[in-house]
Amino acid sequence: MTDIAVQIPETSRRLDAIDRKILMVLQEDASLSVAEIGDRVGLSSTPCWKRIQRLEADGVIIKRVALVDQNKIGLGISVFVSVESSDHSDAWLKRFAEAVSAMPEVMEFYRMAGDVDYMLRVVVADMQAYDVFYKKLISAVPLKNVTSRFAMEKIKSVTALPIPAVAAA
């Protein structure tokens, strides 16, 4: 890996190899102390802390959270919900986005290209809880079609993004 910087489109800040190592370490375990992170990336505490602060200020690191096992807290069902709409107006989308964003069961919410307009990842305790969610969803705004797909087994689930290596110039 070289120390050549690569431009990241969302920010004017350039990420070098050390920044990328910090991001990889933090994605793996954000509870590490700055000294431990620094040891892993080859920096002393102060420069490591300054880089982390800069990554946060630039919006590269948006927050640090604890990951919770959904099954251990009674949310055993994951549902992928496809939504099609007949209305594609800005007003409809605003109402739909506000309604769906307010539903705590919705973990992810995407506007899609292709034959489905929106895709949601929903977690609930059981089928009865999903039925309550479904009724809330279909009453929020007029929808053309809602299709639910229930996950039977989680085979892979990660939160760490694959940080691209620094490209050579």
Side-chain angles (χ1 to χ4, degrees):
M1 194 178 270
T2 67
D3 287 315
I4 298 170
V6 173
Q7 186 71 32
I8 302 299
E10 292 79 24
T11 181
S12 59
R13 172 140 162 50
R14 296 169 68 85
L15 299 180
D16 64 14
I18 300 289
D19 291 332
R20 292 167 185 283
K21 287 179 187 176
I22 289 171
L23 292 173
M24 287 187 282
V25 169
L26 283 173
Q27 286 189 110
E28 189 64 34
D29 186 355
S31 70
L32 293 172
S33 70
V34 173
E36 290 172 307
I37 297 167
D39 284 345
R40 293 185 185 192
V41 302
L43 290 176
S44 62
S45 293
T46 300
C48 183
W49 179 82
K50 286 181 180 178
R51 282 177 180 257
I52 293 169
Q53 293 299 304
R54 194 170 56 233
L55 289 165
E56 288 175 338
D58 289 348
V60 176
I61 298 173
I62 51 179
K63 69 168 97 173
R64 299 186 217 179
V65 299
L67 301 177
V68 177
D69 184 324
Q70 73 183 67
N71 293 307
K72 291 186 179 176
I73 60 167
L75 298 173
I77 296 183
S78 293
V79 188
F80 295 88
V81 182
S82 308
V83 176
E84 295 176 55
S85 171
S86 301
D87 187 346
H88 297 281
S89 68
D90 288 340
W92 181 92
L93 174 55
K94 184 177 190 295
R95 282 186 24 237
F96 182 60
E98 286 173 358
V100 171
S101 296
M103 298 175 183
E105 304 90 345
V106 177
M107 304 305 298
E108 296 178 79
F109 176 25
Y110 299 95
R111 189 167 59 88
M112 306 295 290
D115 61 343
V116 171
D117 297 315
Y118 302 92
M119 182 68 73
L120 290 65
R121 183 173 70 87
V122 175
V123 296
V124 290
D126 52 30
M127 191 60 71
Q128 182 179 0
Y130 182 71
D131 188 46
V132 170
F133 167 81
Y134 176 83
K135 289 174 183 173
K136 189 169 44 170
L137 176 67
I138 63 171
S139 68
V141 293
L143 302 172
K144 178 180 175 184
N145 188 40
V146 176
T147 303
S148 305
R149 293 171 178 87
F150 294 84
M152 295 175 55
E153 178 184 12
K154 184 186 293 187
I155 296 171
K156 180 181 179 181
S157 176
V158 298
T159 59
L161 295 171
I163 305 294
V166 178

